[in-house]
């Protein structure tokens, strides 16, 4: 990590593993990354907002999904660091990475509820994938985080 960013704080965030009735995971491809990287819905926690409310808000803002049931709040917090080339750029340079609380949710709606063409779109396309695939699709600096999430979710759904 670049020395000038070492003392920056981590941004407080949430992530959501959305499972459909076949236990496939929702992933989407980001607009701001032209390569073939996919991610699960995630985002920041607003001031005076709890993790669950932040997760539900982010999920709706990014995907229009409202029809979910909470399966489990995953234990602990998971942190990732931004790579050097993104330090000072993402989040207006205020953070060196993100510490996230993850939630496992069941999507109980139909796929036509999902709309990534939102007010402030973040994604180009979306799909359902097997849980084992999420670590093959993610950008490298989030790989360890996704491995941990994958392991925790596998224990819950097996």
């Amino acid at each position: 990590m670049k020395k000038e960013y070492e003392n920056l704080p981590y941004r407080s965030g949430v992530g959501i593993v959305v499972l459909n009735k076949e236990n496939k995971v929702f992933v989407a491809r980001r607009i701001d990354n032209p390569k073939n990287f996919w991610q699960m819905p995630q985002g920041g926690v607003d001031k005076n907002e709890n993790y669950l409310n932040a997760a539900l808000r982010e999920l709706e803002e990014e995907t229009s999904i409202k029809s979910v049931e909470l399966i489990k709040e995953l234990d602990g917090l998971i942190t990732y660091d931004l790579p050097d080339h993104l330090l000072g750029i993402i989040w207006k340079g205020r953070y060196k990475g993100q510490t996230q609380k993850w939630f496992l949710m069941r999507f109980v709606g139909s796929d036509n509820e999902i709309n990534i063409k939102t007010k402030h779109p973040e994604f180009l396309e979306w799909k359902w994938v097997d849980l084992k695939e999420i670590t093959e699709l993610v950008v490298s600096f989030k790989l360890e985080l996704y491995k941990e999430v994958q392991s925790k979710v596998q224990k819950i759904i097996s």
Side-chain angles (χ1 to χ4, degrees):
M1 177 177 295
K2 291 181 185 171
K3 198 163 183 61
E4 66 264 34
Y5 298 104
E6 282 177 359
N7 295 323
L8 287 177
Y10 286 98
R11 180 180 186 228
S12 181
V14 292
I16 309 99
V17 180
V18 180
L19 297 177
N20 67 11
K21 57 184 172 288
E22 289 90 36
N23 279 348
K24 300 265 191 192
V25 178
F26 176 94
V27 293
R29 193 163 65 91
R30 291 192 61 86
I31 287 173
D32 60 7
N33 191 330
K35 297 188 179 77
N36 196 28
F37 296 120
W38 298 71
Q39 71 175 46
M40 294 176 282
Q42 52 197 67
V45 178
D46 292 340
K47 191 174 178 174
N48 300 320
E49 186 177 40
N50 69 36
Y51 287 126
L52 180 58
N53 288 341
L56 293 168
R57 175 186 51 75
E58 283 290 340
L59 184 62
E60 184 178 349
E61 283 177 6
E62 294 181 2
T63 68
S64 306
I65 293 174
K66 292 185 197 177
S67 304
V68 288
E69 294 172 351
L70 178 63
I71 297 172
K72 185 168 183 3
E73 177 180 321
L74 301 186
D75 294 336
L77 296 169
I78 308 173
T79 299
Y80 71 85
D81 290 313
L82 289 173
D84 284 355
H85 70 279
L86 293 177
L87 283 168
I89 297 169
I90 292 184
W91 306 309
K92 299 180 177 126
R94 293 186 303 213
Y95 306 101
K96 63 182 172 185
Q98 195 162 200
T99 297
Q100 297 178 324
K101 168 57 81 175
W102 279 80
F103 294 88
L104 178 60
M105 298 187 185
R106 172 80 59 202
F107 178 57
V108 294
S110 61
D111 282 3
N112 62 9
E113 175 182 332
I114 301 169
N115 176 16
I116 58 172
K117 291 176 176 46
T118 57
K119 187 174 180 183
H120 303 287
E122 295 187 30
F123 301 121
L124 292 168
E125 57 184 313
W126 67 272
K127 62 185 176 181
W128 297 106
V129 299
D130 289 328
L131 179 62
K132 68 179 188 301
E133 289 180 68
I134 65 169
T135 53
E136 299 163 15
L137 300 169
V138 69
V139 66
S140 61
F141 66 90
K142 292 183 184 177
L143 179 59
E144 292 307 312
L145 179 147
Y146 271 49
K147 284 180 180 176
E148 190 172 334
V149 168
Q150 183 184 54
S151 173
K152 290 178 179 190
V153 169
Q154 189 60 56
K155 289 175 183 153
I156 295 165
I157 65 174
S158 318

